[in-house]
Amino acid sequence: MLQIIQKEQEIADMFLNDIAQGDWSIKLDKTDYEAASNHSKPTIAVKAEDDKSLAELSTIAFDKIKKTGCEPTSLIVMVTFRQDDELMMMELAEFNDCLSTYIDNNTDFKWGVQSVSDMPYKRRITIIGFTQNK
């Protein structure tokens, strides 16, 4: 499943309703979103969910972002996995390699990790791209 949101208010609502809720392993909260949006505009959110690896889902999501012409100056990434299929170090290493091909040192980057018991797929990646206000 792939979802793309490009309306600023819908991106904010999705973050606050889906990501900033709960007590996760590596938590993102409202202040993370506010810090990013103080300097930049939330331009795109891509949510990719499947039984594929995090690296594969990340590649799909980043490719969608690139196709829109969006060049984010700041990113928020939420990694979600189903509780009955925990993340392994090898998968995180592949995910990290994928990130390094899409994100440069000038991009502000925050990320979080959450596990969910009632997710239909094994993995989900949500990427929110922020661009400079013009």
Side-chain angles (χ1 to χ4, degrees):
M1 183 187 98
L2 187 66
Q3 180 183 12
I4 300 170
I5 303 170
Q6 292 185 289
K7 292 185 176 150
E8 193 171 342
Q9 187 58 52
E10 288 179 26
I11 294 170
D13 292 345
M14 183 266 306
F15 179 85
L16 294 172
N17 295 329
D18 294 350
I19 295 175
Q21 303 295 319
D23 187 20
W24 313 119
S25 308
I26 300 174
K27 186 168 173 50
L28 290 167
D29 61 25
K30 188 175 158 183
T31 57
D32 293 314
Y33 187 87
E34 289 170 349
S37 61
N38 280 342
H39 304 291
S40 303
K41 176 185 175 191
T43 307
I44 189 166
V46 177
K47 184 188 297 187
E49 190 173 30
D50 205 318
D51 289 336
K52 296 177 179 177
S53 72
L54 282 179
E56 290 173 297
L57 290 175
S58 298
T59 299
I60 291 166
F62 278 117
D63 284 346
K64 288 293 178 190
I65 291 170
K66 275 188 159 187
K67 284 181 183 172
T68 66
C70 177
E71 294 181 20
T73 55
S74 183
L75 292 166
I76 293 179
V77 177
M78 175 55 76
V79 171
T80 308
F81 64 93
R82 200 167 59 199
Q83 282 179 349
D84 65 357
D85 193 353
E86 291 194 16
L87 291 174
M88 297 293 147
M89 290 305 294
M90 183 62 143
E91 187 174 3
L92 286 173
E94 291 169 355
F95 170 66
N96 188 53
D97 291 344
C98 177
L99 290 179
S100 66
T101 64
Y102 287 96
I103 300 174
D104 64 35
N105 291 337
N106 298 325
T107 306
D108 185 36
F109 177 72
K110 293 184 186 292
W111 64 288
V113 177
Q114 64 186 0
S115 65
V116 179
S117 60
D118 60 350
M119 205 164 77
Y121 298 102
K122 293 179 183 181
R123 301 286 182 263
R124 178 189 313 139
I125 185 117
T126 306
I127 302 172
I128 302 173
F130 296 79
T131 55
Q132 287 295 88
N133 292 329
K134 299 207 177 198

